[in-house]
Amino acid sequence: MGFIDEIKAKAKANLKTIVLPETEDIRTYKAAETVLKEGTARLILIGSKAEIAEKSAGFDISGAQIIDPVQCDKLDGYVEKLFELRQSKGLTKEQAEELLRTDYTTFGVMMVKSGDADGMVSGACHSTAEVLRPCLQILKTKPGTKLVSSFFVMVVPDCDMGEDGVFVFTDCGLEQNPDAEKLANIAVSAAESFASLVGKTPRVAMLSHSSKGSAKHADVDKVVAATRMAQELAPEVSIDGELQLDAAIVASVGAAKAPDSEVAGRANVLVFPDLDAGNIGYKLVERLAKAEAYGPLTQGIAAPVNDLSRGCSPEDIVGVVAITAVQAQAE
């Protein structure tokens, strides 16, 4: 059974309610039909019932709950709660109501905040900033977590590296140029994400263009410091660095470049030093190795909300819904 099949089986075992706010996009309806048919989640679609009926023609979404913010009997409560959360930032009650009536992403986040949904998936036609801004403003960070970051689950076909071809890559979508402390926190969060979703023991490599002092540069120093901090934050997790990519995942290279490392040559969680490296890295693997790339998924938010690539397929949405449901189970 492949990774996503295992995730779907977990999702089916304990159904969660996931919000899909992007009802302007036909991919949402195709994905919703598949999710409902496979039984991996309960779904809420946000929007005008008339518009959804028109746009979803040809798709069976009869099992989904449709909520129109304008007619929702919980709108006043959501307005009050959003006003309380954001009035110190200058948001008026009138602005809160207008936002909830017109911005379906914000409305979906408020549903999650209020416990009326377990998670949300968005981003097929919105930027990462548009998806995550209301999440950070309303849901905020998970207790014990200092920052929100992103990761991809990469499933590489015919690969004996990582966890039989399964890796977590981080951060590939959010933190532009994290300092050592942020990088350490990203590494610890990624280890937790790997354990939660893959169900295996994480082995975390802090990536660099240097392996164990082979190069001298401030960028290397950052990764060395981040490795030390991450090891202090999570001494029970196998974390090592700085490691070049081949030293991290190829057994023979790891043995040569870092012979005393528990991680070198066996890493299944790859922590990139900055967003440029992470974004380029996951896209190279996705395109050249024909890997499945699930994400960008978020870690560190107080409830599971996941972003989608704007180039995603309906099948990508189906997979991310299942992953979000499993994350909600862990919550």
Side-chain angles (χ1 to χ4, degrees), residues 136-147:
L136 297 174
Q137 292 174 342
I138 296 168
L139 298 173
K140 305 187 186 302
T141 56
K142 183 185 297 184
T145 301
K146 289 191 174 182
L147 81 161

Side-chain angles (χ1 to χ4, degrees), residues 263-328:
V263 172
R266 304 174 62 236
N268 49 30
V269 177
L270 303 182
V271 181
F272 292 85
D274 58 40
L275 190 59
D276 284 337
N279 191 271
I280 292 166
Y282 101 78
K283 288 182 177 177
L284 274 172
V285 175
E286 179 184 22
R287 300 301 178 182
L288 298 185
K290 309 299 183 184
E292 299 169 29
Y294 297 99
L297 307 169
T298 58
Q299 53 194 10
I301 296 179
V305 174
N306 283 315
D307 185 25
L308 295 161
S309 167
R310 277 176 281 180
C312 68
S313 67
E315 291 74 21
D316 293 333
I317 300 173
V318 171
V320 174
V321 166
I323 289 170
T324 306
V326 171
Q327 289 178 314

Side-chain angles (χ1 to χ4, degrees), residues 74-88:
K74 293 188 176 183
L75 177 62
D76 290 345
Y78 292 164
V79 169
E80 191 63 38
K81 183 168 290 188
L82 180 58
F83 171 65
E84 290 174 3
L85 288 168
R86 301 296 297 165
Q87 62 177 321
S88 64

